[in-house]
Amino acid sequence: MSFASLLRSPLAACLAVAVTMGMTTLPAAAQVAREAQVPAPQDAPYPGTITLRVDAGDTRQGIFRVHETIPVKPGKLTLLYPQWIPGNHSPSGPIAMLAGLKLSANGKPVAWMRDKYDVYAFHLDVPAGVSSLDATFEYLSPRRGGFEMTDRMLMLEWDKVSLYPAGYYSRDIKVAPSVTLPAGWQFGSALETATHTGGTTTFKPVSYNNLVDSPIYAGRYFKRVNLTPPDGAPVHLDVVADAPKYLAITPEQLKAHQALAMQAVQLFGSHHYDHYDFLFSLSDVLAGNGLEHHQSSEDGMGADYFTAWADNAPNRDLLAHEYVHSWNGKFRRPADLATPNFNVPMGDSLLWVYEGQTQYWGFVLTARSGLWTPEQFRDALAMVAANYDVNRPGFQWRTLEDTTNDATAAHRQSLPYRSWQMSEDYYSGGQMMWLAVDAKLRALTHDQRSLDDFARAFFGVDNGSYVTRTYTFDDVVAALNAVAPFDWAGFLKARVDALDPPLTEGLAAAGWKLVYTDTPSAYEKQYDARRESPRHLFNFAWSIGLTLDKHGEINDVRWNGPAFKAGISTGAKLVAVNGQAYSRDALKEAIAAAKGNQAPIALLLKYQDQLQTVSIDYHDGLRYPHLERIAGTADYLGQIIAARH
Ligand SMILES: [Zn+2]
């Protein structure tokens, strides 16, 4: 995924060789730039309508077959494969999965050449007398995990299965899409159907922006559930599942999901969609996605989301999070993220609003709707808070705002020392900050106003519109000042733009404190047990400072924590604990036995074929986070998660 860095490094290497050899023929930067041939986007209508046909019938081999017909005029043309995908916040377009590209006009082949410096750009000359260009190619979806197609369901993201002409704003390009699905499958999408013949559905033409923003989830086992709030625009849950039994929804579950739609509309006082569709995959095979769109979202959970409800509290904030993005992220968007097309780099610096406040409302709306109990909300928040209490030493060298670069810099690869490197902390660090803002607004206004008022004023304008409205840091500050005058610029900068930001202080301001006990919360126990929890990780981050899986493989070692100081590396395998073969319980018992005394925690590790014995000098026992009321203070947290009527 690091195409940008891969592209740059060979050039850098060549320049370095030339310099050391004393050569004087280095290309000037301007000369290099002149050779780049991708036309800059202009805000002018692209003439004609592109026809895009996608055959998604080959689910067994994971192949999407694409036939695109593009109105053209003779001369130079550049076709682009989308690179900067909204919501990914990074140049993540899977260009390597495009194969078999063939261009033709009037039945004759047309040659293409990829740009020298931009692997997402294909140049060609449209011959004289040609007004229509045919492009065919395949998009080869991942075949070893990360599945986008199974024999029971698929996700179709249009940016992966289309090329578009360079030189235009993508909102100025019109596309008439169609899809062919396996026989008998049903689908959900924000797109409007025009015609349906055989297995092929043709949609009403939309702008290329709207197309990329309107994926399709389809499946053999499908159910459409109505969540529309009273007097509201239509909201539906379009569920595809691994088997029919996973589609069963109890009346209580239905009520909570309907409450989610109602509570969100209550919060924002508006909607920014004609109709909204949660494209919801319940699968243990399909990739578990979470991607926001204006009028829909892609949401993936385990197959037993409904059927094992009592054990499934972790990550149940997903639907709320992605739904909030319709207001925060899609409708209101940081100015540097609102780019003219999908191949202009995005600026991620305000993601602590876009993602951070969405993370905040995602938790809050999950509780307000009853998808979480107040206790589950607090236990989930305690785990977030504990990370910012002890598990982010990286704030000694980088700021919360600097982590907005991680989507591009680290593109979610596994990191050896995550607590020190950090990763996309603008989500949860931002969430902790917005809790502090909410509590501050309540204190400043003697409980008269809150972050609800900010949300309604900032995201709730232009009811019914889904034309993106951009904002800057100053706009955020002005909107907060309109709710309650204060030095908001200083308050925000002290948290997003400073080292060692006070990100956990919002808890106390909301009437609660973070405590640790030797017993995990019911929520954390579920978190450890979940199939989709990352690699079944057992969390000892808050005690000896590591996480590991059931096989003993160490996933992360907290920088400068007790395990780190003992010399343990991420990636090592824990073989034995105090002479006992490793198990989670054996490690727990050893940590508990060393509490308050000098007893060592002796670990036998295997790493790179070497065995090593280390002793961890740690005597504070097992530590799991919980929230506890601060007596005599206002319970803002309780007020924040109370359902609105
Ligand atoms: Zn998000």
Side-chain angles (χ1 to χ4, degrees):
M1 285 162 76
S2 62
F3 294 119
S5 56
L6 284 172
L7 272 176
R8 262 182 236 115
S9 54
L11 179 64
C14 292
L15 292 174
V17 169
V19 169
T20 52
M21 292 174 68
M23 293 166 71
T24 56
T25 53
L26 290 175
Q31 199 177 328
V32 172
R34 266 201 302 279
E35 289 184 43
Q37 293 175 340
V38 180
Q42 309 294 327
D43 192 4
Y46 186 79
T49 299
I50 294 173
T51 306
L52 173 62
R53 281 174 283 170
V54 176
D55 182 347
D58 193 350
T59 56
R60 178 53 65 178
Q61 292 177 298
I63 300 166
F64 292 87
R65 292 187 166 81
V66 183
H67 186 164
E68 204 169 341
T69 306
I70 306 168
V72 291
K73 55 182 195 291
K76 288 192 184 309
L77 177 68
T78 302
L79 297 176
L80 297 173
Y81 189 71
Q83 178 180 20
W84 288 82
I85 310 307
N88 287 4
H89 317 310
S90 64
S92 58
I95 182 68
M97 304 305 177
L98 176 153
L101 177 62
K102 287 182 180 165
L103 304 181
S104 65
N106 298 335
K108 289 182 188 151
V110 173
W112 55 263
M113 180 178 276
R114 206 183 295 235
D115 190 83
K116 270 187 191 176
Y117 304 106
D118 181 351
V119 298
Y120 287 84
F122 300 89
H123 302 299
L124 63 130
D125 281 309
V126 178
V130 164
S131 61
S132 174
L133 180 77
D134 286 291
T136 58
F137 64 91
E138 293 88 38
Y139 167 67
L140 306 172
S141 68
R143 293 286 84 197
R144 296 186 199 101
F147 297 116
E148 296 167 20
M149 269 182 165
T150 76
D151 58 0
R152 282 158 286 175
M153 64 178 71
L154 64 83
M155 58 172 84
L156 168 59
E157 295 170 325
W158 296 99
D159 49 278
K160 292 174 174 167
V161 293
S162 59
L163 296 165
Y164 71 101
Y168 293 82
Y169 280 28
S170 42
R171 69 180 180 207
D172 295 331
I173 299 167
K174 207 176 225 190
V175 185
S178 66
V179 65
T180 304
L181 296 168
W185 285 31
Q186 292 175 274
F187 67 88
S189 177
L191 292 173
E192 304 281 351
T193 297
T195 61
H196 185 80
T197 42
T200 300
T201 304
T202 302
F203 300 98
K204 292 179 185 167
V206 289
S207 75
Y208 190 61
N209 266 14
N210 280 1
L211 181 70
V212 167
D213 200 39
S214 306
I216 287 174
Y217 273 42
R220 189 182 302 279
Y221 311 115
F222 178 89
K223 185 175 197 169
R224 194 152 198 254
V225 182
N226 192 351
L227 305 183
T228 306
D231 306 322
V235 180
H236 288 87
L237 202 55
D238 300 325
V239 194
V240 290
D242 279 351
K245 66 176 176 180
Y246 296 121
L247 294 170
I249 302 177
T250 67
E252 293 74 30
Q253 290 165 348
L254 176 62
K255 199 172 149 218
H257 287 80
Q258 287 171 332
L260 171 60
M262 197 169 64
Q263 290 297 324
V265 173
Q266 284 269 356
L267 170 63
F268 295 113
S270 70
H271 63 86
H272 301 294
Y273 43 78
D274 291 337
H275 59 90
Y276 189 93
D277 286 79
F278 291 98
L279 310 178
F280 197 22
S281 65
L282 303 183
S283 177
D284 298 328
V285 187
L286 197 81
N289 208 353
L291 188 59
E292 64 272 26
H293 301 287
H294 227 131
Q295 308 195 74
S296 63
S297 56
E298 297 173 64
D299 309 281
M301 296 290 277
D304 62 359
Y305 174 82
F306 290 120
T307 51
W309 188 254
D311 305 323
N312 264 344
N315 303 327
R316 203 182 280 159
D317 59 312
L318 177 71
L319 293 176
H321 178 104
E322 302 304 344
Y323 190 33
V324 166
H325 272 317
S326 180
W327 291 265
N328 178 9
K330 303 309 290 190
F331 172 61
R332 293 306 307 263
R333 198 176 307 171
D336 54 6
L337 271 174
T339 50
N341 71 17
F342 302 106
N343 292 68
V344 173
M346 292 176 180
D348 285 343
S349 66
L350 283 170
L351 282 178
W352 51 269
V353 185
Y354 178 129
E355 291 293 1
Q357 198 172 133
T358 297
Q359 191 72 6
Y360 180 72
W361 288 126
F363 269 48
V364 168
L365 289 177
T366 301
R368 284 186 189 174
S369 63
L371 288 164
W372 270 343
T373 64
E375 187 184 7
Q376 288 168 335
F377 167 85
R378 287 193 301 269
D379 290 344
L381 186 61
M383 290 180 72
V384 176
N387 267 332
Y388 292 94
D389 185 36
V390 296
N391 207 24
R392 286 294 181 271
F395 276 126
Q396 292 164 32
W397 71 275
R398 57 187 309 212
T399 64
L400 188 65
E401 182 177 288
D402 190 56
T403 71
T404 65
N405 293 298
D406 289 350
T408 301
H411 39 84
R412 301 199 170 174
Q413 66 190 350
S414 75
L415 299 170
Y417 296 100
R418 188 168 185 233
S419 69
W420 185 237
Q421 294 166 285
M422 307 217 290
S423 181
E424 302 191 31
D425 281 88
Y426 51 88
Y427 281 88
S428 299
Q431 174 189 11
M432 294 303 297
M433 189 198 70
W434 288 110
L435 172 62
V437 171
D438 201 344
K440 190 79 190 171
L441 285 169
R442 288 162 194 270
L444 285 170
T445 61
H446 307 287
D447 301 357
Q448 295 306 301
R449 311 199 81 187
S450 70
L451 200 64
D452 284 50
D453 297 285
F454 171 86
R456 183 174 274 257
F458 196 70
F459 302 115
V461 289
D462 295 351
N463 186 30
S465 167
Y466 45 91
V467 178
T468 298
R469 276 182 61 153
T470 62
Y471 62 85
T472 62
F473 177 81
D474 291 344
D475 296 327
V476 176
V477 169
L480 286 167
N481 272 316
V483 178
F486 185 64
D487 175 21
W488 289 112
F491 188 94
L492 296 178
K493 281 185 174 163
R495 284 151 187 83
V496 303
D497 213 10
L499 297 179
D500 292 319
L503 290 176
T504 54
E505 61 161 24
L507 275 180
W512 292 76
K513 69 180 171 196
L514 180 64
V515 298
Y516 298 88
T517 75
D518 59 6
T519 310
S521 66
Y523 179 94
E524 183 166 358
K525 278 185 192 154
Q526 289 186 10
Y527 200 89
D528 281 3
R530 287 301 301 159
R531 244 194 322 280
E532 68 264 30
S533 78
R535 303 168 65 211
H536 291 272
L537 291 183
F538 300 147
N539 196 340
F540 296 91
W542 303 298
S543 54
I544 58 173
L546 58 75
T547 54
L548 76 179
D549 68 14
K550 64 179 175 183
H551 307 294
E553 190 173 317
I554 294 168
N555 173 265
D556 192 32
V557 180
R558 191 212 318 154
W559 195 259
N560 278 340
F564 183 93
K565 286 179 176 161
I568 296 175
S569 171
T570 294
K573 188 174 176 182
L574 180 54
V575 179
V577 184
N578 289 351
Q580 305 277 316
Y582 162 73
S583 68
R584 174 170 53 170
D585 287 346
L587 183 54
K588 276 185 162 182
E589 281 161 24
I591 294 170
K595 186 176 181 179
N597 58 49
Q598 301 299 308
I601 304 169
L603 304 183
L604 176 63
L605 299 155
K606 186 179 180 189
Y607 190 47
Q608 297 174 341
D609 292 332
Q610 302 289 316
L611 290 170
Q612 177 196 18
T613 306
V614 303
S615 185
I616 299 183
D617 186 20
Y618 173 80
H619 307 284
D620 290 332
L622 293 162
R623 275 161 47 96
Y624 297 99
H626 304 264
L627 298 188
E628 213 174 80
R629 273 287 285 137
I630 304 172
T633 62
D635 180 7
Y636 285 156
L637 211 52
Q639 295 173 24
I640 287 167
I641 62 172
R644 303 300 191 248
H645 298 288

